[in-house]
Amino acid sequence: MKQHENVGMTSSNNNKATERSLRGTFLCKKKPSSPRAVGELLVSNVSLSFWGGIHPETGLVVDTSHPCHGESVAGKYFCLPSGRGSCTASQVLLELILNGVAPKAIVLRDVDGLAAVGALVADEIFQKSDLDILWLGESGFEDLWDLANDQDNGKQVKHGLISPQGTLVVGSDASQLQAHLTTEQMHQGDEEFSIEYTEEEQRMLDSCQTQAERMALGVIFRYAHIMNLNQQQTVGDETAMTSYKPVKKAHIDGCTYIGPGGLEFVRRLVQAEGQVKVPTTLN
C-alpha cells in the first residue's frame, strides 16, 4: 500500500459546470475488472456507526440522529469523517456488499481500518472486490465538504468518480464526469491492489497449512497496513510499522447475527479447514 505524497486539489471549470480533483490514498480498491462509474455524492461531516446506523438489507441510513437519516448509501459515493462505535459495523458493510446495496465507494477524512474490515473480508473470503475506500485526509475532506455545500455560485458538486490512481473527481455535471471514463488517464495504472509484505508477514504466510489460515492472515495483514498509515501520520514517521505478538488464548467478540453473510463467512472458513489454534471463547 503506497501513500500519496500529498493530498491536494486541482480545478477546472467553465461557465456551466464545476469540477475538482481531490487526491487520496486507497485503503481498499476494487479490482480492475470491476467497472468504474460516476455516482451521486452523499457527504456528511458527522461520523456514523454502520451497525445501527445503516440497514443491511436496504442501504438506508436509519440512525435518526444522523444528518443523512433516510438517505440511501446504495450506489453512492458515501463521504464521511470516519466510522464510529462497534466493530460489528464491519458485519453490516459485508452484508451491504453481499446484498448489492453497498456504496460505490466510501471516502474518509481519517485513516479508519475498522471502517474497511467488511470490505477486506468481502475481498479475501468472498472474492468480491467492488468497493473503493479512499482516504482524503483533513484538508482534502474539508475541500470536499466545502464544495458539496457551496450553493452561493450555483455550482455545488453533486457527483463523483474515483480514478484508478486514487483521485476523487467531483463535479456538478454528471455527463462531464462521465467523459473522464473515456480518457486515457482514467485507464492508466489500473493495477490489482496489493501490499508489500514484511519478512515477518511472508514467513507467516509461507507457514500456513490451510486456505483458511491464508485468508485470515490476508485480512489481518491488510488491516495492519491500513493502521500503519494511521501510526505514520501520528508519529510523523513513514517507516513506522505495526508489529505482531504471539497469543496464548483468544476471545471472539461480537458473535451477533446481522444477516446471512455472517453465517456464510463462518461456513467458508470451515470449508477451508479453519480451526482455532489456541484456547478460544466466544460470547
Side-chain angles (χ1 to χ4, degrees):
M1 181 185 299
K2 183 178 180 181
Q3 180 180 353
H4 286 301
E5 294 179 357
N6 57 66
V7 180
M9 180 173 72
T10 60
S11 65
S12 63
N13 54 54
N14 54 38
N15 292 330
K16 296 183 178 180
T18 296
E19 184 181 307
R20 297 289 189 274
S21 295
L22 301 165
R23 197 174 180 196
T25 299
F26 282 117
L27 303 184
C28 189
K29 181 183 178 184
K30 64 171 61 180
K31 293 187 182 299
S33 58
S34 183
R36 296 189 170 275
V38 174
E40 182 182 344
L41 292 173
L42 180 60
V43 185
S44 175
N45 63 351
V46 179
S47 298
L48 175 69
S49 171
F50 281 34
W51 188 34
I54 301 178
H55 196 289
E57 295 179 354
T58 65
L60 288 174
V61 177
V62 293
D63 182 348
T64 56
S65 68
H66 197 270
C68 292
H69 175 248
E71 297 278 358
S72 173
V73 303
K76 295 179 182 177
Y77 285 78
F78 188 30
C79 312
L80 69 167
S82 66
R84 185 178 66 191
S86 174
C87 60
T88 308
S90 59
Q91 293 187 50
V92 176
L93 180 55
L94 176 62
E95 294 293 336
L96 292 171
I97 293 171
L98 298 179
N99 290 329
V101 290
K104 272 191 174 65
I106 297 174
V107 179
L108 299 170
R109 179 194 66 193
D110 303 336
V111 178
D112 188 348
L114 189 59
V117 169
L120 300 183
V121 169
D123 189 5
E124 296 289 338
I125 311 297
F126 291 83
Q127 290 74 54
K128 290 184 69 68
S129 181
D130 303 322
L131 175 68
D132 287 325
I133 301 182
L134 191 73
W135 164 51
L136 283 185
E138 286 193 20
S139 61
F141 194 87
E142 286 176 4
D143 289 336
L144 174 61
W145 173 254
D146 290 341
L147 289 164
N149 290 276
D150 182 10
Q151 300 178 0
D152 293 338
N153 60 11
K155 296 180 180 179
Q156 178 185 19
V157 300
K158 298 179 180 179
H159 307 279
L161 172 68
I162 295 178
S163 78
Q165 298 80 30
T167 297
L168 172 64
V169 185
V170 297
S172 56
D173 187 332
S175 60
Q176 187 181 71
L177 290 182
Q178 192 72 28
H180 278 277
L181 291 172
T182 62
T183 65
E184 184 178 357
Q185 182 182 7
M186 179 55 68
H187 296 281
Q188 287 179 344
D190 197 0
E191 301 174 350
E192 191 85 12
F193 184 81
S194 63
I195 62 174
E196 185 175 343
Y197 293 121
T198 65
E199 291 183 3
E200 180 185 18
E201 290 167 344
Q202 192 60 57
R203 283 197 302 270
M204 285 191 277
L205 285 170
D206 292 342
S207 67
C208 287
Q209 298 179 348
T210 68
Q211 180 62 21
E213 289 180 69
R214 285 185 284 272
M215 291 190 298
L217 285 179
V219 174
I220 291 171
F221 292 163
R222 288 176 66 178
Y223 175 82
H225 280 246
I226 290 173
M227 297 315 296
N228 282 341
L229 293 177
N230 187 48
Q231 184 178 0
Q232 290 162 7
Q233 288 289 305
T234 300
V235 302
D237 181 1
E238 292 188 1
T239 64
M241 294 293 290
T242 297
S243 60
Y244 302 94
K245 294 183 178 180
V247 296
K248 295 182 179 180
K249 59 182 178 179
H251 178 74
I252 302 175
D253 192 16
C255 299
T256 308
Y257 180 79
I258 301 298
L263 293 178
E264 183 59 25
F265 164 71
V266 177
R267 291 192 188 102
R268 291 193 177 216
L269 287 177
V270 172
Q271 291 167 0
E273 302 180 80
Q275 292 183 330
V276 296
K277 285 194 170 184
V278 295
T280 304
T281 58
L282 55 80
N283 60 338

